[in-house]
Amino acid sequence: MITVNSLSIHFTGDDLFNNVSFVISDNDRIGLTGKNGAGKSTLLKILAKELEPEKGSIVVSQGHEIGYLPQELIPDTNNNVWDETQKAFEKLFLLETEKEILHSSILERDDYETEEYLNIISQISEIDEALNISGLKNKDAEAEKVLLGLGFEKSDFSRNMTEFSSGWQMRVELAKILLKKPEVLLLDEPTNHLDIESIQWLENYIKNYYGAIVLVSHDRTFLDTVTKRTIEISLGKIYDYKCSYSEYVERRIERIEQQNSILTNQQRQTAHTQQFIERFRYKASKAKQVKSKIKLLEKMDVVEIDELDTSAIHFKFQPAPHSGIVVVEAKNLTKIYDTKKVLNNIDFSISRGEKIAFVGKNGEGKTTFSRIIVDDLAPSSGLIKLGHQVSIGYFAQNQAQLLDPDKTVFETIDDIAIGDIRTKIRGILGSFLFQGEDIDKKVKVLSGGEKTRLALAKLLLAPVNLLVLDEPTNHLDMDSKDVLKSALLQYDGTLIIVSHDRDFLQGLTEKVYEFKNNKIKQFIGDVFDFLEAKNIDHLNDLNAISKANSTKNQQTESENKQDWARKKELDSKIRKLNNQIQKIEEDIHGKEEMIKALNIKLAHPEKYADEINSGKIYTAYQEFEKSIQKLESEWENLHIEKESLENQ
């Protein structure tokens, strides 16, 4: 367990956190959410003890190890992938060495009855138990499983780390943290460098992880799949919800609406009370009542509406100039790096107004093909041709890093703007939340999200009819991604987008091209149509469905009667399960209300110092959490049983 008590920290005079308190229990699955710059990454650094708060304390339960994956990290190593991954087991290797030393020591002794001899035997036994629990014997199989799950091939294991991009090196760091199996995982944007298949593998791995997990992600689907608790950071405060991200969004709206309703009622009541006081203030017969009403007003706690950060980017792309019907055409296109063939005999064309997505594992050629299309890279052989009057807007995967760090925000745009657009620079920057003194900031001091917003702003400087966007959502917060998606849906030109963000791609494109084994394969529909098609192919579900339909059509009248009796029995079982589920939901709600009450006490340590210092609150908190986890487990099992019955 981690206890955060009265945490405060300030940046440039503003409260990043102001008297924040909460508890992370042993099996929590927490998603941190908030706008770019709200303090999500800072909070993870504080929890990882890499940054000290100005006020407050962080208490980690004894024996709890923390594994922390920062947003960006370039390992300084000359190891190959396998040897670097083996660093995850350094503590176990040290235990083995200690065990060997103890063994050598005991072989030289013959004082079998002494306390010292028995202590050595006890130490060896404890180390053996620790090594058995750790699964050291299976470490190689576990390391291979994790590396393959994160997208590496076995042939990559012997390659030097320096041969890989920073994104692939981050995958090795993630693999090391997962293999260490710390009691608490702190992950800052773990999906930024992963493709869709690796993200799905990580989702399944994390769902079965035994410890607590706190993560920052702007991937809504990933958050909904993995997390069961959402902590919103907004304007120096936190708001804690016992639910996944999508449910949190709904509950946040309900919370504000409820507060507004309560405030309206309070204001109405206050107005009536004040009218009574003014009307009867000077009547002796009403003196006692007037005095009572005045005291009532003085004691009344004014309802406060939670302040929300409503700042958001707002823009739309300029109308696309007219182009030819065929926008891009490639025939027999091949690309080879040294001896590595990335693309082989690719045939491809995209027509005016089409919106398509490039998906597939990293390293399969998505970015390479994008760069060839925008003439940033030449093919090794074959033909690539742009259509008539095609003008391109390109957002590179590392676009934010390509910005000149020593230029200001304003200079970055002003240096490339031409014509009438120069008079609109401040307006463009304002629509991307660069206002006032922000436009004079150097690029090097901007956050990852701010750099991405600035790079996107550059796309508005000239009208284009072909947008090629390579991972444009990395580092963008949820609201900014929604605005970008809305702008792309309204864009009337042609769109090619490379992304691993399933929620962002949903409904945005009409075709998906999968890059695999040096080839591309077309799927009609959006990313979820593609994933569904992939699952059906993989599981051969079409054959199973066809067989089931055939069997159904051949049922006899006798079988139908049996089905009716079976259905009646199933309905009875389902009703009983629904009653059990409803009771558990009521129990969970009751215990969540108790936890809310404890959170209020934790947020006011000056009023409840005795209970906090005695540990009673934390003990009660943990008991309620364990009870809720048990109830949630029962709830999930009942739902699985219910779904199984409903599918029969």
Side-chain angles (χ1 to χ4, degrees):
M1 177 185 283
I2 299 179
T3 303
V4 178
N5 192 22
S6 303
L7 178 73
S8 294
I9 193 167
H10 309 270
F11 280 161
T12 62
D14 297 323
D15 288 337
L16 196 61
F17 296 105
N18 185 17
N19 201 32
V20 165
S21 299
F22 62 96
V23 173
I24 300 170
S25 297
D26 287 343
N27 294 300
D28 265 335
R29 299 286 187 273
I30 300 174
L32 295 181
T33 187
K35 292 182 178 295
N36 291 134
K40 303 183 295 295
S41 295
T42 300
L43 181 56
L44 287 188
K45 288 178 182 176
I46 292 172
L47 293 174
K49 300 294 181 77
E50 293 204 356
L51 184 66
E52 286 293 324
E54 293 170 15
K55 294 180 182 177
S57 62
I58 308 290
V59 180
V60 181
S61 296
Q62 188 173 1
H64 278 44
E65 184 181 0
I66 292 177
Y68 169 54
L69 181 76
Q71 203 171 116
E72 298 290 344
L73 175 68
I74 305 299
D76 183 15
T77 178
N78 287 315
N79 286 334
N80 62 33
V81 169
W82 184 257
D83 290 341
E84 185 64 24
T85 305
Q86 292 294 303
K87 287 184 179 180
F89 307 111
E90 282 179 342
K91 284 190 175 181
L92 301 181
F93 294 148
L94 288 173
L95 279 178
E96 278 195 322
T97 302
E98 184 181 351
K99 177 183 171 183
E100 290 172 4
I101 293 171
L102 290 171
H103 264 299
S104 299
S105 169
I106 207 168
L107 290 173
E108 297 172 358
R109 308 176 68 102
D110 56 7
D111 52 340
Y112 309 120
E113 304 298 330
T114 65
E115 186 176 347
E116 189 175 354
Y117 185 91
L118 294 175
N119 283 339
I120 295 174
I121 293 293
S122 177
Q123 289 179 56
I124 292 173
S125 176
E126 289 175 3
I127 291 173
D128 275 333
E129 185 178 356
L131 291 174
N132 287 332
I133 292 173
S134 70
L136 182 64
K137 292 179 181 178
N138 300 319
K139 68 176 180 62
D140 286 349
E142 188 69 17
E144 182 177 309
K145 176 183 128 183
V146 171
L147 286 173
L148 293 175
L150 290 175
F152 288 94
E153 302 289 342
K154 285 189 178 181
S155 57
D156 293 327
F157 294 177
S158 59
R159 291 174 59 191
N160 195 288
M161 287 282 288
T162 55
E163 296 179 34
F164 291 90
S165 67
S166 59
W168 282 94
Q169 292 186 47
M170 286 295 291
R171 293 190 191 210
V172 176
E173 290 303 307
L174 176 57
K176 286 159 61 178
I177 291 170
L178 296 179
L179 290 167
K180 285 179 182 177
K181 298 181 180 177
E183 284 73 19
V184 183
L185 274 177
L186 306 176
L187 307 177
D188 195 351
E189 295 285 9
T191 63
N192 265 3
H193 307 287
L194 301 181
D195 49 65
I196 289 176
E197 290 184 23
S198 297
I199 291 172
Q200 290 179 312
W201 177 88
L202 182 61
E203 285 174 349
N204 291 325
Y205 189 94
I206 287 179
K207 280 194 291 186
N208 298 314
Y209 194 76
Y210 79 103
I213 298 169
V214 183
L215 62 89
V216 174
S217 178
H218 294 132
D219 185 326
R220 187 181 276 105
T221 304
F222 182 73
L223 284 172
D224 281 341
T225 303
V226 169
T227 62
K228 295 182 179 180
R229 180 178 168 194
T230 302
I231 293 180
E232 176 193 7
I233 304 173
S234 179
L235 302 173
K237 298 180 181 179
I238 67 161
Y239 302 92
D240 200 341
Y241 297 81
K242 286 282 295 181
C243 59
S244 64
Y245 179 82
S246 291
E247 190 176 346
Y248 138 76
V249 172
E250 295 176 5
R251 286 197 191 180
R252 178 178 60 171
I253 295 170
E254 291 172 0
R255 183 188 87 219
I256 301 301
E257 288 176 348
Q258 187 178 35
Q259 288 175 340
N260 277 313
S261 176
I262 293 171
L263 179 61
T264 300
N265 289 334
Q266 188 183 68
Q267 288 171 336
R268 188 183 298 115
Q269 181 184 351
T270 301
H272 288 160
T273 304
Q274 287 174 335
Q275 286 174 2
F276 180 92
I277 293 169
E278 291 301 320
R279 184 177 178 184
F280 300 108
R281 183 185 294 275
Y282 303 108
K283 287 195 175 183
S285 61
K286 299 285 186 179
K288 282 187 178 180
Q289 289 175 275
V290 168
K291 192 174 182 180
S292 175
K293 296 286 185 183
I294 291 172
K295 285 184 178 180
L296 181 66
L297 284 181
E298 290 173 347
K299 290 180 180 179
M300 186 179 292
D301 291 328
V302 178
V303 175
E304 292 185 358
I305 305 297
D306 291 331
E307 190 178 1
L308 294 178
D309 187 351
T310 56
S311 59
I313 63 173
H314 55 280
F315 75 98
K316 62 180 181 179
F317 292 99
Q318 297 187 50
H322 190 75
S323 71
I325 294 177
V326 177
V327 177
V328 178
E329 186 175 21
K331 290 185 178 180
N332 299 323
L333 187 144
T334 297
K335 180 61 182 177
I336 302 172
Y337 288 108
D338 296 326
T339 58
K340 181 177 174 58
K341 186 175 287 187
V342 179
L343 300 170
N344 184 31
N345 290 329
I346 300 297
D347 291 326
F348 168 85
S349 69
I350 180 171
S351 301
R352 182 177 62 220
E354 281 192 306
K355 291 181 170 64
I356 66 172
F358 287 172
V359 302
K361 288 186 175 182
N362 290 351
E364 291 287 353
K366 304 185 299 295
T367 294
T368 295
F369 193 38
S370 299
R371 291 178 62 194
I372 290 173
I373 289 172
V374 302
D375 199 24
D376 189 44
L377 195 64
S380 300
S381 62
L383 173 70
I384 181 77
K385 185 173 67 174
L386 295 181
H388 181 60
Q389 291 187 330
V390 170
S391 53
I392 297 175
Y394 178 47
F395 183 97
Q397 187 174 143
N398 61 337
Q399 190 74 48
Q401 282 70 48
L402 295 177
L403 300 172
D404 188 335
D406 293 318
K407 285 185 178 180
T408 66
V409 169
F410 184 84
E411 289 169 346
T412 300
I413 302 297
D414 185 54
D415 286 356
I416 58 175
I418 56 174
D420 294 340
I421 199 71
R422 297 194 66 183
T423 63
K424 302 176 183 178
I425 290 176
R426 291 181 182 274
I428 291 173
L429 289 174
S431 68
F432 284 88
L433 303 185
F434 295 107
Q435 298 170 335
E437 296 178 357
D438 291 338
I439 67 173
D440 296 320
K441 285 182 179 178
K442 296 277 189 183
V443 169
K444 59 187 174 187
V445 304
L446 300 180
S447 68
E450 288 172 327
K451 288 177 182 176
T452 299
R453 295 205 307 265
L454 182 58
L456 285 172
K458 293 174 68 176
L459 291 176
L460 300 188
L461 298 183
V464 297
N465 48 36
L466 172 59
L467 274 176
V468 182
L469 309 180
D470 192 353
E471 301 289 6
T473 62
N474 281 356
H475 307 296
L476 285 183
D477 59 45
M478 296 290 193
D479 291 341
S480 296
K481 286 201 305 182
D482 289 343
V483 172
L484 174 59
K485 182 174 180 176
S486 176
L488 291 173
L489 286 169
Q490 297 174 59
Y491 175 61
D492 59 353
T494 308
L495 173 67
I496 297 174
I497 186 163
V498 181
S499 179
H500 59 255
D501 190 322
R502 293 157 293 175
D503 181 74
F504 180 74
L505 288 176
Q506 184 180 22
L508 183 56
T509 61
E510 58 217 22
K511 288 181 185 177
V512 173
Y513 285 86
E514 182 189 21
F515 285 66
K516 188 174 182 180
N517 299 327
N518 314 132
K519 298 287 187 180
I520 61 174
K521 182 180 179 181
Q522 177 183 287
F523 293 82
I524 302 298
D526 71 5
V527 68
F528 283 100
D529 296 320
F530 158 72
L531 290 173
E532 184 179 359
K534 290 276 289 179
N535 288 334
I536 289 174
D537 287 344
H538 181 66
L539 299 172
N540 291 319
D541 280 351
L542 286 176
N543 289 336
I545 292 169
S546 176
K547 185 176 179 181
N549 289 337
S550 176
T551 303
K552 184 178 179 181
N553 292 334
Q554 294 173 9
Q555 283 187 316
T556 62
E557 185 178 347
S558 173
E559 289 172 331
N560 286 333
K561 289 180 180 178
Q562 292 174 4
D563 285 345
W564 181 85
R566 191 183 301 115
K567 184 178 185 303
K568 190 175 179 181
E569 184 180 357
L570 283 174
D571 288 341
S572 176
K573 289 180 179 178
I574 289 171
R575 280 195 301 274
K576 288 179 181 178
L577 288 172
N578 280 330
N579 291 335
Q580 290 176 271
I581 288 170
Q582 184 178 353
K583 185 178 182 306
I584 287 177
E585 287 174 345
E586 289 170 356
D587 288 348
I588 289 173
H589 178 72
K591 287 180 170 55
E592 285 179 340
E593 290 301 313
M594 297 300 292
I595 286 177
K596 284 181 183 177
L598 293 176
N599 278 329
I600 291 172
K601 290 186 176 182
L602 286 170
H604 298 87
E606 69 283 353
K607 292 174 64 177
Y608 304 98
D610 290 340
E611 290 183 71
I612 292 174
N613 293 334
S614 69
K616 289 181 180 178
I617 288 183
Y618 301 129
T619 301
Y621 197 107
Q622 195 163 23
E623 286 175 356
F624 284 129
E625 283 281 354
K626 286 180 179 177
S627 180
I628 288 173
Q629 287 165 12
K630 185 178 178 182
L631 288 170
E632 285 177 340
S633 178
E634 292 175 11
W635 184 89
E636 287 177 5
N637 290 334
L638 289 172
H639 263 286
I640 291 170
E641 186 179 350
K642 178 187 168 186
E643 288 175 8
S644 176
L645 292 175
E646 288 174 340
N647 291 330
Q648 289 182 20

